[in-house]
Amino acid sequence: MTTTLERRQEYRALFKSNVAKRLVVDKVVRIIVFACVIIAIIPLGSILVEVFKNGIAAISFEFLTETPGAIGSGEGGIGPAIQGTLIIIGLASLIGVPIGVMSGIYLAEYGDNKLARSIRFFNDVFMEFPSIVLGIFAFLVIVLILGHFSVWAGAFALSLIMFPIVARTTEESLKMVPITYREAGTALGLKKWIITFRIVISAAKSGMITGILLSISRIGGETAPLIMTILGSSQFFSSMDVPMDALPLRIWRLSLLPYDSAQLQGWGSALVLIIIILGINLGVRYYFANKKGNGIIGRLIKAGVTRQK
Amino acid sequence: MARPKLEPKKHRRLPISDKVFKIGATLAGVYVLLMIALLVFQLVSESYPIWEEEGLSFIVGTDWNAVEDRESFGALPYILGTLVTAALAMAIGVPLSLGIAMFISDAPAKIGGPLGFLVELLAAVPSVIYGLWGLFVFRIYFKDWIEIPLHNTFGDSIWLFSGKPFGLDIITASVILAIMIIPTVSAVSREVMKAVPQQQKEAAYMLGATKWEMFRLAVFPYSKTGLIGASILGLGRAVGETMAVTMLIGNATGIAAIPSSFFKPSQTMSSIIANEFVEASPASLHLPALIGVALVLLLVAIVINVIAHILVTRMLKVKEGAINN
């Protein structure tokens, strides 16, 4: 059985047309896929360029330190907002970090049972709760009961966003510490909590710091939960029991005003906020990131924690 | 010779400090369960008056009026607004994210690394800055270059494109949402695609597959569950997103907020809360109504995220099994 010369020619033509078509499809898909990447990066570039271009004109010493002037006057600054953001990040960390770290220790060191598995699951789901709902929760349990707006309510709301992130990153970094470290501690006759705090945590330090800083950069940009907890104000911080300002809130308020000067100040505030947040984010990645992508940052992404709301 | 029988020894008693440590850690772990329970309880009990007053019509009603003596609260337009914007965001964002994940999972580390990093940076930009940028930059270009041409071409024939394009509408908000979910969906999809065993890809290449055919034959079927999970995770994020949407969706209320065209202002569950919460008086039904909206939002978000997490974890577990074998 041999094919005739004509048949062979026919096959060859078929094969050629088939391969050519497949190669074309492949090329087209490659181009589309690359275009996807470019399309996604354009907004990032545009945001950064616009924020820097428009914001830099607003920045001055007065702008960074003074209280806001009369609406639409274009005077004054965002001093209280910067101060408020720092205060609320500090207070939220005060609540969120210890709980998150202890919870992470529980998951890593005692986390091999049913309770821990459900905690891990609900922790992940809690991380995805709409932040505005957490703000309402803080409003209901603190503001409504105290009867006035309170800085603690805002800090509590942000700590709720923070602690699951810290818990998961702590767990992941503690798990990367080799079991032999713990065995060495046990062999020395140390108590479990001393082993955990002195040996395991010091070995897992960089991962934990990464998680804490990333969670700080995340809550620093949160706006929604602050609307119903610290409300916004144009005065510097005076007491825990009165409304306070924060940068994201100030940006929101300014964007709603129909004046060019307010718009300019809005860009200026956005520049300050983005410098703080991207500064922390980039700094963390630069210093701690494992370049292979399966280090702590990769694990964070897998845990889905690097998203702003 | 019989082995000496091992006596089940009594466990060495833990030192008291270790007991305290363990209890403390457990309590911190249980904190999240406690918070979820308290959160749901608070939302249910504080929104109780509105369920009592409106009943089911709180969910299916379309009238939203907070004026005293004419109070009526129906949240259907906002529920629809949330679902429609989130669905549109998925329709735009998921294909883009899958493309990005394909590119980065397959590109040499020198190119893929930095590009993946840039896409992830999108996640670090706060929502309110997306809103600001959308309001003052994106909206203008989007209106002039996309909305008005679309409206002029199809406005009379297709209802989706009817209405006057103004830039503060459903489609603008959805596009911004799409940008915001890209980092999540692409990062998770990339992990899932990387979980496909190398042998499968090599086998596809050995059959003479092109790169695209390799993805179609080896990667997609294997990682389908995980990719769907990643997309649903993006949906969960889109549903809960507040600030950027509030600033761009145009904030219609009541029956006017029912989405009927791309170029219509609408309202989502989170944006109505952000817009009206501060003005709502605790004495009236307005506050319970907004808390009721928050409860619905939370339930929607929980359902979506639970499904997504189950799908993604299952997929990544398969990966661990595959590597160990």
Side-chain angles (χ1 to χ4, degrees):
Chain A
M1 268 278 293
T2 50
T3 46
T4 60
L5 210 60
E6 292 82 54
R7 284 301 282 275
R8 211 180 275 180
Q9 289 267 303
E10 203 180 311
Y11 286 148
R12 196 166 285 162
L14 259 174
F15 178 74
K16 260 188 188 159
S17 80
N18 179 4
V19 167
K21 209 167 78 191
R22 285 168 55 207
L23 287 177
V24 168
V25 171
D26 188 51
K27 195 126 241 167
V28 169
V29 173
R30 272 166 202 256
I31 292 170
I32 292 175
V33 160
F34 188 66
C36 287
V37 179
I38 300 301
I39 290 174
I41 291 174
I42 289 172
L44 177 71
S46 171
I47 289 172
L48 293 181
V49 167
E50 294 286 339
V51 168
F52 275 89
K53 197 181 72 188
N54 298 321
I56 206 85
I59 302 288
S60 66
F61 184 70
E62 288 75 36
F63 180 70
L64 293 178
T65 53
E66 278 180 15
T67 56
I71 289 171
S73 66
E75 288 165 4
I78 53 166
I82 296 176
Q83 186 201 30
T85 287
L86 297 179
I87 289 175
I88 200 117
I89 287 178
L91 290 179
S93 312
L94 211 60
I95 311 172
V97 171
I99 295 177
V101 167
M102 281 308 272
S103 173
I105 289 175
Y106 172 72
L107 290 176
E109 305 292 325
Y110 302 103
D112 203 21
N113 53 49
K114 214 168 179 185
L115 175 69
R117 271 191 290 278
S118 69
I119 287 175
R120 198 173 290 124
F121 182 79
F122 281 109
N123 201 68
D124 283 359
V125 174
F126 194 78
M127 220 156 20
E128 306 287 336
F129 276 13
S131 60
I132 193 160
V133 175
L134 301 179
I136 290 183
F137 177 49
F139 172 87
L140 293 176
V141 295
I142 299 186
V143 177
L144 213 53
I145 288 171
L146 290 181
H148 48 71
F149 288 98
S150 156
V151 176
W152 280 115
F156 174 65
L158 293 190
S159 79
L160 290 179
I161 298 164
M162 188 174 200
F163 88 84
I165 303 178
V166 177
R168 289 292 272 143
T169 49
T170 302
E171 186 201 352
E172 295 290 350
S173 21
L174 291 189
K175 274 186 180 165
M176 283 197 276
V177 177
I179 189 84
T180 45
Y181 281 42
R182 296 181 179 87
E183 286 169 355
T186 316
L188 289 173
L190 297 177
K191 286 174 182 153
K192 174 106 175 164
W193 67 277
I194 296 179
I195 297 173
T196 309
F197 280 122
R198 296 296 297 274
I199 301 176
V200 181
I201 285 191
S202 69
K205 212 165 39 193
S206 73
M208 289 171 63
I209 295 174
T210 307
I212 292 170
L213 286 176
L214 284 182
S215 73
I216 284 177
S217 95
R218 159 122 187 236
I219 62 171
E222 285 286 347
T223 321
L226 300 182
I227 295 171
M228 51 277 293
T229 51
I230 65 169
L231 194 67
S233 152
S234 54
Q235 298 304 316
F236 277 104
F237 175 79
S238 59
S239 128
M240 287 305 232
D241 298 333
V242 293
M244 188 177 73
D245 208 2
L247 272 173
L249 274 179
R250 176 62 43 193
I251 296 173
W252 188 45
R253 302 258 186 264
L254 286 169
S255 76
L256 298 176
L257 298 174
Y259 308 103
D260 286 348
S261 58
Q263 195 177 325
L264 181 69
Q265 292 196 331
W267 284 115
S269 321
L271 179 58
V272 176
L273 182 63
I274 221 166
I275 285 177
I276 295 175
I277 286 177
L278 285 192
I280 295 174
N281 226 289
L282 292 175
V284 164
R285 283 159 191 269
Y286 184 77
Y287 277 109
F288 298 114
N290 184 335
K291 285 195 183 78
K292 276 178 197 152
N294 50 9
I296 187 68
I297 299 285
R299 279 162 179 266
L300 297 193
I301 291 157
K302 216 182 286 175
V305 299
T306 48
R307 176 82 200 92
Q308 294 277 346
K309 264 196 209 106
Chain B
M1 203 177 86
R3 274 189 205 164
K5 208 174 173 191
L6 285 170
E7 284 289 324
K9 257 193 196 161
K10 240 177 131 187
H11 276 291
R12 194 169 60 91
R13 287 176 70 195
L14 286 171
I16 191 88
S17 57
D18 269 358
K19 264 187 200 157
V20 172
F21 175 64
K22 185 175 179 181
I23 292 171
T26 314
L27 283 181
V30 171
Y31 181 75
V32 67
L33 302 180
L34 208 75
M35 282 298 131
I36 293 179
L38 193 58
L39 173 57
V40 172
F41 171 76
Q42 280 283 341
L43 289 184
V44 170
S45 69
E46 293 292 328
S47 66
Y48 186 70
I50 197 72
W51 301 105
E52 206 176 32
E53 176 72 26
E54 297 272 350
L56 198 62
S57 73
F58 180 66
I59 292 192
V60 297
T62 55
D63 197 23
W64 185 272
N65 197 340
V67 180
E68 227 174 310
D69 299 329
R70 274 185 289 165
E71 284 180 330
S72 161
F73 296 100
L76 183 69
Y78 316 132
I79 298 172
L80 287 179
T82 301
L83 297 180
V84 168
T85 46
L88 278 173
M90 291 266 286
I92 303 165
V94 167
L96 279 173
S97 310
L98 291 184
I100 294 166
M102 278 170 72
F103 183 85
I104 292 172
S105 73
D106 199 58
K110 244 183 204 169
I111 310 167
L115 283 178
F117 172 71
L118 282 179
V119 173
E120 272 159 34
L121 261 197
L122 274 176
V125 178
S127 175
V128 71
I129 291 183
Y130 274 106
L132 189 77
W133 174 76
L135 200 57
F136 294 129
V137 180
F138 177 74
R139 171 169 79 99
I140 317 287
Y141 291 105
F142 193 69
K143 185 184 74 184
D144 290 348
W145 292 357
I146 299 191
E147 292 193 353
I148 289 178
L150 275 177
H151 176 70
N152 289 344
T153 325
F154 303 112
D156 301 325
S157 47
I158 305 175
W159 53 274
L160 278 178
F161 300 102
S162 62
K164 188 166 167 39
F166 189 63
L168 291 176
D169 47 32
I170 293 170
I171 189 73
T172 316
S174 305
V175 173
I176 297 277
L177 269 184
I179 300 171
M180 297 177 81
I181 65 168
I182 282 176
T184 309
V185 183
S186 65
V188 179
S189 310
R190 192 184 62 201
E191 287 299 324
V192 164
M193 285 182 186
K194 276 191 183 156
V196 176
Q198 191 62 28
Q199 295 97 311
Q200 293 230 11
K201 301 183 189 174
E202 279 161 14
Y205 281 131
M206 246 183 268
L207 291 172
T210 60
K211 193 160 267 185
W212 159 242
E213 284 162 344
M214 185 278 288
F215 269 102
R216 220 185 48 199
L217 292 170
V219 176
F220 289 148
Y222 193 91
S223 56
K224 202 164 55 191
T225 336
L227 294 180
I228 294 172
S231 316
I232 299 178
L233 208 58
L235 177 66
R237 295 240 149 124
V239 163
E241 192 54 62
T242 311
M243 297 321 295
V245 176
T246 309
M247 289 158 90
L248 287 166
I249 200 161
N251 301 325
T253 51
I255 195 140
I258 289 187
S260 64
S261 136
F262 286 160
F263 305 143
K264 249 189 72 170
S266 180
Q267 185 90 267
T268 66
M269 288 190 266
S270 50
S271 73
I272 186 100
I273 300 171
N275 278 319
E276 297 193 353
F277 201 86
V278 174
E279 287 124 49
S281 120
S284 72
L285 273 176
H286 197 185
L287 191 64
L290 290 173
I291 296 170
V293 173
L295 180 63
V296 176
L297 173 63
L298 180 70
L299 293 180
V300 172
I302 288 181
V303 170
I304 291 174
N305 282 307
V306 166
I307 296 174
H309 276 289
I310 291 173
L311 290 180
V312 172
T313 343
R314 185 185 295 168
M315 172 66 206
L316 292 177
K317 274 217 184 93
V318 170
K319 166 199 180 180
E320 276 157 23
I323 286 175
N324 292 336
N325 288 340

